[in-house]
Amino acid sequence: MPDTASSMSPTITSMIRLDHMHVLAAFHRYHADSPWWRKRAIVHSTCAALEIHAQPEEEIFYPALATVLNDDPTLSKSRPEHNEMRATIGRLRTMGPENAAYDGLFHQLMAAVMHHVADEETVLLPAAERALTSELRSLGARMTRRRLQLLGERPGEIAVNTVGTFPVATFLIASLAVLGITRCLPKVTKTPARYLL
């Protein structure tokens, strides 16, 4: 009997592509003339997304792909590229946006990630879709579970950085939530003072 969660899960290759789109969109939100707090939020949010993407990819996707791709050069260089990305992330986290090297280092991370994404999109993902067809959904379910574990380890960090990355949208959503809550609360009527005695 097939596992229901696995049969309903997106494929692992679809999840990886969505991660790629998410991080590339984050790169486009970064501007050198943005306020320092927004730069920091975008960088920290992007770095967390990259880390949460890379770990399950290394634990689940690469080993599955290695069973069908022998000595593939693109797969072989994927882990070292992740390690370089982690080193750059570590350097970004030790400095702030006021540092003259901050913008350049983030752009260096962008370039490395875009190169890595291009390799995965043109070589590894199509190879997985050809060779791992029957396993793609179960691998996607495993990746989802692992990603939820990783997200659960840092909810505060992710929430704070999301607020800083999308300040206007966060304000609008919070305002609508407050408005909705106040409309749902029962009306408090004032009792005339003469009836209180």
Side-chain angles (χ1 to χ4, degrees):
M1 177 179 260
D3 177 15
T4 305
S6 293
S7 66
M8 295 179 66
S9 174
T11 65
I12 196 166
T13 52
S14 295
M15 293 174 71
I16 291 170
R17 283 189 180 99
L18 285 172
D19 284 351
H20 292 167
M21 287 175 30
H22 170 76
V23 80
L24 294 175
F27 288 157
H28 288 291
R29 285 191 295 275
Y30 189 89
H31 301 285
D33 60 349
S34 294
W36 67 269
W37 53 268
R38 184 151 196 251
K39 281 185 182 183
R40 181 177 306 203
I42 292 168
V43 167
H44 285 235
S45 178
T46 303
C47 290
L50 288 168
E51 291 167 332
I52 290 169
H53 167 83
Q55 191 166 341
E57 194 172 57
E58 291 172 357
E59 295 170 356
I60 299 164
F61 182 62
Y62 293 164
L65 198 52
T67 65
V68 294
L69 287 183
N70 295 329
D71 300 322
D72 182 84
T74 304
L75 183 58
S76 298
K77 69 179 186 164
S78 292
R79 283 181 195 263
E81 287 176 351
H82 280 186
N83 291 336
E84 289 175 26
M85 174 196 70
R86 286 184 182 101
T88 305
I89 288 170
R91 290 176 51 211
L92 279 165
R93 286 199 169 128
T94 63
M95 67 173 70
E98 69 284 348
N99 189 312
Y102 197 75
D103 291 340
L105 191 57
F106 189 62
H107 285 103
Q108 178 185 327
L109 177 64
M110 284 186 206
V113 168
M114 287 191 277
H115 173 78
H116 180 77
V117 164
D119 282 348
E120 284 190 350
E121 297 266 347
T122 59
V123 178
L124 299 184
L125 298 180
E129 289 168 340
R130 285 189 303 273
L132 299 170
T133 307
S134 62
E135 299 172 59
L136 293 176
R137 288 199 188 280
S138 63
L139 291 168
R142 284 179 56 204
M143 184 176 241
T144 298
R145 286 190 294 274
R146 183 62 176 127
R147 183 175 298 167
L148 289 173
Q149 289 172 338
L150 294 169
L151 284 167
E153 295 171 3
R154 48 210 289 184
E157 171 194 352
I158 291 167
V160 167
N161 290 325
T162 300
V163 168
T165 301
F166 302 102
V168 173
T170 303
F171 174 76
L172 291 174
I173 290 169
S175 298
L176 289 172
V178 168
L179 181 63
I181 290 169
T182 57
R183 295 228 179 232
C184 292
L185 293 175
K187 297 281 185 201
V188 177
T189 58
K190 292 185 177 181
T191 305
R194 66 177 187 248
Y195 295 116
L196 295 175
L197 298 177

